[in-house]
Amino acid sequence: MPNAMGDALDTIAAETVRQPLAERRLLHESAVDRLRDMIVQGVLTPGTKLNERALCEQLGISRTPLREALKVLSTEGLVALQPNRGAVVATLTEDRVREIFAVMGALEALAGELACRNMTADQLNEIRALHYQMLAHHARGELAPYFRCNQEIHLAIVEASGNATLVASYASLNAHVRRARYMANLSQARWDQAVAEHEKILDALGRRDAGPLQDLLKNHLGAKLTVVLAALGALADNAKETADAAYD
Amino acid sequence: MPNAMGDALDTIAAETVRQPLAERRLLHESAVDRLRDMIVQGVLTPGTKLNERALCEQLGISRTPLREALKVLSTEGLVALQPNRGAVVATLTEDRVREIFAVMGALEALAGELACRNMTADQLNEIRALHYQMLAHHARGELAPYFRCNQEIHLAIVEASGNATLVASYASLNAHVRRARYMANLSQARWDQAVAEHEKILDALGRRDAGPLQDLLKNHLGAKLTVVLAALGALADNAKETADAAYD
DNA sequence: AAGGCCCTTTTTGTATGCAAACTGCTGCTC
DNA sequence: GAGCAGCAGTTTGCATACAAAAAGGGCCTT
């Protein structure tokens, strides 16, 4: 045994230099994922100028895969490309949020209908499990984990439709509004109500009762829209104040 | 006047060397458009391997913008990227077509509802004009122009919803099925029936009668699905025969 | 002092170069 | 003869190089 640390070092080297089994991901793909996360989680706020050189350094890649990633995010709508003038994080206007929610409403309604028809018992159980996990976060007042659970439930319902195209469309639109959602400051009353709505949704799902489920989903989404718009307004006000402060 | 041809030559030079006012489009953008057209119109058939060097030559660009275009088309779902193994035109399975039609059904239903509420008189008139143009093509038995008109009408209805997000989602999905649509061989009976359905759709639109309109759109799309699936089956059979012939 | 012009610097868009991965073929082994 | 190792050629993924466009800044003009 020449070196007790040999194994550990080899492991690290294998992970950093070359992933043998993990089938090393392509640079532009991981760049897309990382940038998307940064945008959705609000690290990169709407309107932020995306300097290629700076992002390259931050991600440790060259401009070629970065630019490919920006093109992808642009077709996803999260980034706006201005010819010869670079990329900026797409802004979210109130109108656009309303548009997105309208489309998501149609998609969720379809998902609910299909889920009632196609959902497996396992899928239903998983949704139930996520629901109880969410209840726990609600009881403890843990907002961020609650949001994550909440998202997973909605995604699980859409996935239970068994329609991959629907899942992709829904996920793409969802990424846009999640940006605003992360900074939503739920009142306790609205939070409690949202949980109650989820209870009813789960109930309808369990009975595979498509009609009422669609109505419940629609109302739930409508309430979410109100919350998101409020968050968006608050955000805009903050930005305005900051801008005003610059003039003081 | 030193040279009578001077103006013409200058014009050509200006167009080929540098577009001054037309704000020369970016190479990767036009590449996306050209490749998308080739895929949708069936020049590049599903499963075709996309060799970068060959496409570069064909489009007269280098690999960088071409690869950016492939990434974009991949996120649109029209091509599939195989890491380290290149890109192929995405295949259209029957299941996938059914999925797409299910989602498009939900989107068209929403579009119909919103159009009844938001459509301007001008938009309705434009749809009427397109409809009559389509009737002319039907009367003359001109299939390809009929399809184009047909597409434009459906897109115009979605646009009349006033929801840009809805338009984008619809257009993206529509690109996929248009591939199959181009090779659909409509029977005269089905063709006549489709025109009759359009007549009713236009009527409901004119009355801004959302409920019946949604039903009509849904039935119309269901009939289209049948036609597309038949075309897809015929295509698959052709491919199979060709493959079989190779063994003779 | 305000505005515009020109020059420098930065940034973007595209082409090219290079290394790793894949493909296909030859020849060897069993 | 089937199958596999190994090598040559091709293709992909990424980095870099270069040119055109935009942004910034100083100087001059008015």
Side-chain angles (χ1 to χ4, degrees):
Chain A
M1 192 195 285
N3 183 345
M5 285 183 66
D7 289 349
L9 285 174
D10 285 348
T11 304
I12 291 172
E15 280 176 6
T16 52
V17 174
R18 179 183 306 199
Q19 271 98 333
L21 291 175
E23 197 66 32
R24 193 189 64 141
R25 298 198 55 211
L26 267 30
L27 289 188
H28 62 86
E29 278 185 21
S30 29
V32 167
D33 288 344
R34 291 181 63 181
L35 288 174
R36 192 195 292 113
D37 280 353
M38 285 162 60
I39 293 173
V40 169
Q41 294 181 16
V43 179
L44 295 172
T45 56
T48 305
K49 177 96 196 316
L50 297 174
N51 183 295
E52 292 183 5
R53 231 164 264 282
L55 282 179
C56 285
E57 246 178 73
Q58 194 171 346
L59 299 182
I61 62 180
S62 83
R63 286 180 60 218
T64 305
L66 176 78
R67 286 173 59 80
E68 289 171 355
L70 290 178
K71 300 286 178 299
V72 169
L73 291 171
S74 163
T75 75
E76 288 184 4
L78 289 175
V79 160
L81 296 181
Q82 303 163 317
N84 291 316
R85 299 187 52 191
V88 296
V89 179
T91 55
L92 259 190
T93 64
E94 182 176 325
D95 283 350
R96 182 141 172 66
V97 170
R98 288 183 191 281
E99 283 187 5
I100 292 173
F101 268 84
V103 178
M104 283 182 75
L107 296 185
E108 272 202 355
L110 174 62
E113 183 191 331
L114 294 178
C116 284
R117 205 156 57 209
N118 304 329
M119 179 174 52
T120 68
D122 280 357
Q123 285 175 319
L124 179 58
N125 284 335
E126 178 58 25
I127 294 172
R128 280 214 176 91
L130 286 168
H131 179 74
Y132 291 125
Q133 206 176 324
M134 187 183 77
L135 289 186
H137 291 309
H138 172 239
R140 293 200 190 99
E142 300 163 347
L143 196 59
Y146 166 85
F147 272 138
R148 223 174 314 131
C149 254
N150 190 322
Q151 284 289 322
E152 282 178 36
I153 290 171
H154 283 278
L155 192 59
I157 293 175
V158 176
E159 279 171 350
S161 72
N163 184 322
T165 303
L166 177 55
V167 173
S169 300
Y170 180 84
S172 174
L173 292 177
N174 193 27
H176 287 77
V177 295
R178 265 202 295 166
R179 290 197 278 171
R181 197 82 67 76
Y182 263 92
M183 42 200 69
N185 226 342
L186 225 48
S187 74
Q188 186 66 44
R190 170 58 207 148
W191 195 356
D192 295 346
Q193 197 197 334
V195 170
E197 288 166 8
H198 265 263
E199 204 83 51
K200 286 185 195 157
I201 288 171
L202 186 65
D203 198 54
L205 258 180
R207 295 196 317 277
R208 295 179 184 264
D209 201 353
L213 176 61
Q214 289 181 316
D215 291 340
L216 289 168
L217 286 172
K218 188 172 174 182
N219 289 337
H220 185 61
L221 199 66
K224 272 186 193 164
L225 172 58
T226 309
V227 173
V228 168
L229 285 181
L232 198 69
L235 193 67
D237 289 346
N238 276 344
K240 191 170 177 304
E241 275 174 28
T242 310
D244 290 348
Y247 288 101
D248 289 349
Chain B
M1 192 195 284
N3 182 346
M5 285 181 67
D7 289 350
L9 285 174
D10 286 348
T11 304
I12 290 173
E15 278 175 8
T16 53
V17 173
R18 179 182 306 200
Q19 272 98 332
L21 290 175
E23 198 64 34
R24 192 190 66 141
R25 298 196 54 210
L26 266 29
L27 289 188
H28 62 260
E29 278 184 22
S30 32
V32 168
D33 289 343
R34 291 180 62 180
L35 288 174
R36 192 194 293 112
D37 280 354
M38 292 203 277
I39 293 173
V40 169
Q41 295 181 14
V43 179
L44 296 172
T45 57
T48 305
K49 175 93 197 318
L50 297 173
N51 183 296
E52 293 183 4
R53 232 166 262 283
L55 282 179
C56 284
E57 247 179 73
Q58 195 171 345
L59 299 182
I61 62 179
S62 82
R63 286 180 60 220
T64 305
L66 176 77
R67 286 174 57 81
E68 289 172 354
L70 290 178
K71 301 286 179 299
V72 168
L73 292 171
S74 164
T75 75
E76 288 184 4
L78 289 176
V79 313
L81 297 180
Q82 303 164 319
N84 291 316
R85 300 185 53 192
V88 296
V89 178
T91 54
L92 258 191
T93 64
E94 182 177 324
D95 282 349
R96 182 142 171 66
V97 170
R98 288 184 191 280
E99 284 187 6
I100 293 172
F101 269 84
V103 178
M104 283 181 75
L107 296 185
E108 272 200 356
L110 174 62
E113 184 191 331
L114 293 178
C116 285
R117 206 155 58 208
N118 303 329
M119 179 174 53
T120 67
D122 279 357
Q123 285 175 318
L124 179 57
N125 284 336
E126 179 57 25
I127 294 172
R128 280 214 176 90
L130 285 168
H131 179 73
Y132 291 125
Q133 205 177 324
M134 187 184 77
L135 289 186
H137 292 308
H138 172 240
R140 293 198 189 101
E142 300 163 347
L143 196 60
Y146 166 84
F147 272 137
R148 222 174 315 131
C149 255
N150 190 322
Q151 284 289 323
E152 282 178 38
I153 289 172
H154 283 278
L155 191 60
I157 293 175
V158 176
E159 279 171 351
S161 72
N163 185 323
T165 303
L166 177 56
V167 172
S169 300
Y170 181 85
S172 174
L173 293 176
N174 193 28
H176 288 77
V177 296
R178 264 201 297 166
R179 289 196 280 171
R181 196 84 67 75
Y182 263 92
M183 41 199 68
N185 226 342
L186 224 48
S187 73
Q188 186 67 43
R190 170 58 207 149
W191 194 356
D192 295 347
Q193 197 196 332
V195 170
E197 287 166 9
H198 264 263
E199 203 83 52
K200 285 185 195 158
I201 289 171
L202 186 65
D203 198 55
L205 258 181
R207 294 196 318 276
R208 295 180 186 260
D209 201 354
L213 176 60
Q214 289 181 317
D215 291 339
L216 289 168
L217 287 171
K218 189 173 174 181
N219 289 337
H220 185 61
L221 199 65
K224 272 185 190 165
L225 171 59
T226 308
V227 173
V228 168
L229 285 181
L232 198 68
L235 193 67
D237 289 347
N238 276 345
K240 191 170 178 306
E241 276 174 30
T242 310
D244 290 348
Y247 287 101
D248 290 349

mmCIF file of all heavy atoms in Angstrom, chain A residues 5-25, chain C residues 21:
data_model
loop_
_atom_site.group_PDB
_atom_site.id
_atom_site.type_symbol
_atom_site.label_atom_id
_atom_site.label_comp_id
_atom_site.label_asym_id
_atom_site.label_seq_id
_atom_site.Cartn_x
_atom_site.Cartn_y
_atom_site.Cartn_z
ATOM 1 N N MET A 5 -3.908 7.619 0.967
ATOM 2 C CA MET A 5 -4.865 8.556 0.395
ATOM 3 C C MET A 5 -5.084 8.329 -1.101
ATOM 4 O O MET A 5 -5.863 9.024 -1.745
ATOM 5 C CB MET A 5 -4.386 10.000 0.599
ATOM 6 C CG MET A 5 -4.549 10.487 2.025
ATOM 7 S SD MET A 5 -4.044 12.202 2.151
ATOM 8 C CE MET A 5 -5.277 13.000 1.155
ATOM 9 N N GLY A 6 -4.368 7.365 -1.603
ATOM 10 C CA GLY A 6 -4.444 7.131 -3.051
ATOM 11 C C GLY A 6 -5.862 7.005 -3.583
ATOM 12 O O GLY A 6 -6.233 7.693 -4.534
ATOM 13 N N ASP A 7 -6.622 6.167 -2.937
ATOM 14 C CA ASP A 7 -7.980 5.942 -3.420
ATOM 15 C C ASP A 7 -8.783 7.230 -3.465
ATOM 16 O O ASP A 7 -9.440 7.541 -4.454
ATOM 17 C CB ASP A 7 -8.691 4.920 -2.527
ATOM 18 C CG ASP A 7 -8.118 3.529 -2.735
ATOM 19 O OD1 ASP A 7 -7.340 3.361 -3.715
ATOM 20 O OD2 ASP A 7 -8.429 2.647 -1.953
ATOM 21 N N ALA A 8 -8.708 7.959 -2.358
ATOM 22 C CA ALA A 8 -9.483 9.196 -2.291
ATOM 23 C C ALA A 8 -9.047 10.163 -3.386
ATOM 24 O O ALA A 8 -9.877 10.767 -4.076
ATOM 25 C CB ALA A 8 -9.310 9.842 -0.916
ATOM 26 N N LEU A 9 -7.765 10.286 -3.566
ATOM 27 C CA LEU A 9 -7.269 11.208 -4.585
ATOM 28 C C LEU A 9 -7.704 10.762 -5.981
ATOM 29 O O LEU A 9 -8.138 11.558 -6.798
ATOM 30 C CB LEU A 9 -5.739 11.308 -4.521
ATOM 31 C CG LEU A 9 -5.212 12.127 -3.349
ATOM 32 C CD1 LEU A 9 -3.699 12.037 -3.286
ATOM 33 C CD2 LEU A 9 -5.658 13.571 -3.487
ATOM 34 N N ASP A 10 -7.584 9.457 -6.200
ATOM 35 C CA ASP A 10 -8.008 8.939 -7.501
ATOM 36 C C ASP A 10 -9.468 9.258 -7.756
ATOM 37 O O ASP A 10 -9.858 9.656 -8.850
ATOM 38 C CB ASP A 10 -7.791 7.420 -7.546
ATOM 39 C CG ASP A 10 -6.313 7.073 -7.699
ATOM 40 O OD1 ASP A 10 -5.535 8.005 -7.987
ATOM 41 O OD2 ASP A 10 -5.966 5.925 -7.524
ATOM 42 N N THR A 11 -10.278 9.059 -6.715
ATOM 43 C CA THR A 11 -11.706 9.324 -6.865
ATOM 44 C C THR A 11 -11.953 10.779 -7.254
ATOM 45 O O THR A 11 -12.695 11.085 -8.176
ATOM 46 C CB THR A 11 -12.437 9.014 -5.548
ATOM 47 O OG1 THR A 11 -12.149 7.684 -5.192
ATOM 48 C CG2 THR A 11 -13.928 9.206 -5.717
ATOM 49 N N ILE A 12 -11.290 11.664 -6.543
ATOM 50 C CA ILE A 12 -11.460 13.083 -6.845
ATOM 51 C C ILE A 12 -11.028 13.379 -8.275
ATOM 52 O O ILE A 12 -11.734 14.031 -9.037
ATOM 53 C CB ILE A 12 -10.659 13.958 -5.856
ATOM 54 C CG1 ILE A 12 -11.296 13.861 -4.484
ATOM 55 C CG2 ILE A 12 -10.609 15.399 -6.331
ATOM 56 C CD1 ILE A 12 -10.483 14.510 -3.405
ATOM 57 N N ALA A 13 -9.859 12.838 -8.624
ATOM 58 C CA ALA A 13 -9.357 13.086 -9.971
ATOM 59 C C ALA A 13 -10.343 12.568 -11.012
ATOM 60 O O ALA A 13 -10.657 13.246 -11.988
ATOM 61 C CB ALA A 13 -7.998 12.417 -10.147
ATOM 62 N N ALA A 14 -10.848 11.369 -10.757
ATOM 63 C CA ALA A 14 -11.785 10.791 -11.718
ATOM 64 C C ALA A 14 -13.022 11.667 -11.866
ATOM 65 O O ALA A 14 -13.569 11.807 -12.948
ATOM 66 C CB ALA A 14 -12.201 9.394 -11.260
ATOM 67 N N GLU A 15 -13.430 12.285 -10.761
ATOM 68 C CA GLU A 15 -14.637 13.106 -10.830
ATOM 69 C C GLU A 15 -14.404 14.433 -11.525
ATOM 70 O O GLU A 15 -15.241 14.920 -12.259
ATOM 71 C CB GLU A 15 -15.181 13.359 -9.424
ATOM 72 C CG GLU A 15 -15.976 12.187 -8.885
ATOM 73 C CD GLU A 15 -16.405 12.428 -7.468
ATOM 74 O OE1 GLU A 15 -16.179 13.546 -6.962
ATOM 75 O OE2 GLU A 15 -16.946 11.512 -6.868
ATOM 76 N N THR A 16 -13.227 15.006 -11.266
ATOM 77 C CA THR A 16 -12.984 16.337 -11.814
ATOM 78 C C THR A 16 -12.446 16.284 -13.237
ATOM 79 O O THR A 16 -12.847 17.053 -14.092
ATOM 80 C CB THR A 16 -11.994 17.109 -10.930
ATOM 81 O OG1 THR A 16 -10.836 16.286 -10.743
ATOM 82 C CG2 THR A 16 -12.602 17.414 -9.588
ATOM 83 N N VAL A 17 -11.535 15.343 -13.484
ATOM 84 C CA VAL A 17 -10.916 15.294 -14.802
ATOM 85 C C VAL A 17 -11.822 14.612 -15.820
ATOM 86 O O VAL A 17 -11.996 15.077 -16.923
ATOM 87 C CB VAL A 17 -9.571 14.540 -14.734
ATOM 88 C CG1 VAL A 17 -9.008 14.353 -16.125
ATOM 89 C CG2 VAL A 17 -8.608 15.313 -13.854
ATOM 90 N N ARG A 18 -12.427 13.531 -15.409
ATOM 91 C CA ARG A 18 -13.229 12.774 -16.368
ATOM 92 C C ARG A 18 -14.202 11.863 -15.634
ATOM 93 O O ARG A 18 -13.782 11.024 -14.847
ATOM 94 C CB ARG A 18 -12.288 11.939 -17.231
ATOM 95 C CG ARG A 18 -13.001 11.089 -18.259
ATOM 96 C CD ARG A 18 -12.010 10.250 -19.000
ATOM 97 N NE ARG A 18 -10.946 11.073 -19.575
ATOM 98 C CZ ARG A 18 -10.161 10.671 -20.549
ATOM 99 N NH1 ARG A 18 -10.313 9.488 -21.062
ATOM 100 N NH2 ARG A 18 -9.214 11.436 -21.026
ATOM 101 N N GLN A 19 -15.466 12.005 -15.917
ATOM 102 C CA GLN A 19 -16.454 11.118 -15.297
ATOM 103 C C GLN A 19 -16.543 9.857 -16.140
ATOM 104 O O GLN A 19 -16.968 9.910 -17.284
ATOM 105 C CB GLN A 19 -17.825 11.767 -15.229
ATOM 106 C CG GLN A 19 -18.051 12.558 -13.977
ATOM 107 C CD GLN A 19 -17.806 14.031 -14.204
ATOM 108 O OE1 GLN A 19 -17.033 14.396 -15.085
ATOM 109 N NE2 GLN A 19 -18.456 14.867 -13.437
ATOM 110 N N PRO A 20 -16.173 8.716 -15.593
ATOM 111 C CA PRO A 20 -16.104 7.512 -16.400
ATOM 112 C C PRO A 20 -17.481 6.916 -16.692
ATOM 113 O O PRO A 20 -17.834 6.689 -17.833
ATOM 114 C CB PRO A 20 -15.278 6.551 -15.532
ATOM 115 C CG PRO A 20 -15.170 7.197 -14.167
ATOM 116 C CD PRO A 20 -15.919 8.474 -14.192
ATOM 117 N N LEU A 21 -18.263 6.717 -15.651
ATOM 118 C CA LEU A 21 -19.567 6.085 -15.830
ATOM 119 C C LEU A 21 -20.684 7.113 -15.939
ATOM 120 O O LEU A 21 -21.651 6.898 -16.648
ATOM 121 C CB LEU A 21 -19.857 5.135 -14.656
ATOM 122 C CG LEU A 21 -18.978 3.890 -14.626
ATOM 123 C CD1 LEU A 21 -19.239 3.077 -13.372
ATOM 124 C CD2 LEU A 21 -19.250 3.065 -15.870
ATOM 125 N N ALA A 22 -20.508 8.221 -15.244
ATOM 126 C CA ALA A 22 -21.581 9.228 -15.215
ATOM 127 C C ALA A 22 -21.791 9.855 -16.591
ATOM 128 O O ALA A 22 -22.638 10.715 -16.755
ATOM 129 C CB ALA A 22 -21.270 10.314 -14.197
ATOM 130 N N GLU A 23 -20.969 9.399 -17.574
ATOM 131 C CA GLU A 23 -21.202 9.846 -18.964
ATOM 132 C C GLU A 23 -21.188 11.369 -19.051
ATOM 133 O O GLU A 23 -22.145 11.984 -19.476
ATOM 134 C CB GLU A 23 -22.549 9.314 -19.434
ATOM 135 C CG GLU A 23 -22.752 9.325 -20.924
ATOM 136 C CD GLU A 23 -21.805 8.374 -21.625
ATOM 137 O OE1 GLU A 23 -21.451 7.323 -21.052
ATOM 138 O OE2 GLU A 23 -21.402 8.716 -22.742
ATOM 139 N N ARG A 24 -20.054 11.910 -18.642
ATOM 140 C CA ARG A 24 -19.840 13.363 -18.540
ATOM 141 C C ARG A 24 -20.803 14.197 -19.392
ATOM 142 O O ARG A 24 -20.857 14.064 -20.606
ATOM 143 C CB ARG A 24 -18.405 13.680 -18.965
ATOM 144 C CG ARG A 24 -17.962 15.067 -18.622
ATOM 145 C CD ARG A 24 -16.641 15.330 -19.283
ATOM 146 N NE ARG A 24 -16.776 15.298 -20.736
ATOM 147 C CZ ARG A 24 -16.146 16.121 -21.552
ATOM 148 N NH1 ARG A 24 -15.315 16.988 -21.083
ATOM 149 N NH2 ARG A 24 -16.320 16.052 -22.849
ATOM 150 N N ARG A 25 -21.523 15.070 -18.759
ATOM 151 C CA ARG A 25 -22.517 15.874 -19.476
ATOM 152 C C ARG A 25 -21.825 16.884 -20.371
ATOM 153 O O ARG A 25 -20.712 17.323 -20.109
ATOM 154 C CB ARG A 25 -23.416 16.597 -18.471
ATOM 155 C CG ARG A 25 -24.196 15.624 -17.590
ATOM 156 C CD ARG A 25 -25.347 16.334 -16.958
ATOM 157 N NE ARG A 25 -26.169 16.971 -17.965
ATOM 158 C CZ ARG A 25 -26.847 18.091 -17.750
ATOM 159 N NH1 ARG A 25 -26.773 18.673 -16.588
ATOM 160 N NH2 ARG A 25 -27.590 18.614 -18.688
ATOM 161 P P DA C 21 -12.881 11.132 -24.589
ATOM 162 O OP1 DA C 21 -13.552 11.238 -23.277
ATOM 163 O OP2 DA C 21 -11.697 10.255 -24.762
ATOM 164 O "O5'" DA C 21 -13.958 10.709 -25.676
ATOM 165 C "C5'" DA C 21 -15.069 11.562 -25.900
ATOM 166 C "C4'" DA C 21 -15.769 11.133 -27.184
ATOM 167 O "O4'" DA C 21 -14.924 11.472 -28.309
ATOM 168 C "C3'" DA C 21 -16.029 9.630 -27.268
ATOM 169 O "O3'" DA C 21 -17.417 9.422 -27.446
ATOM 170 C "C2'" DA C 21 -15.226 9.162 -28.479
ATOM 171 C "C1'" DA C 21 -15.008 10.437 -29.261
ATOM 172 N N9 DA C 21 -13.755 10.476 -30.012
ATOM 173 C C8 DA C 21 -12.488 10.368 -29.519
ATOM 174 N N7 DA C 21 -11.547 10.441 -30.436
ATOM 175 C C5 DA C 21 -12.251 10.621 -31.617
ATOM 176 C C6 DA C 21 -11.829 10.774 -32.953
ATOM 177 N N6 DA C 21 -10.551 10.771 -33.328
ATOM 178 N N1 DA C 21 -12.783 10.924 -33.896
ATOM 179 C C2 DA C 21 -14.075 10.925 -33.505
ATOM 180 N N3 DA C 21 -14.587 10.792 -32.286
ATOM 181 C C4 DA C 21 -13.617 10.640 -31.372
#
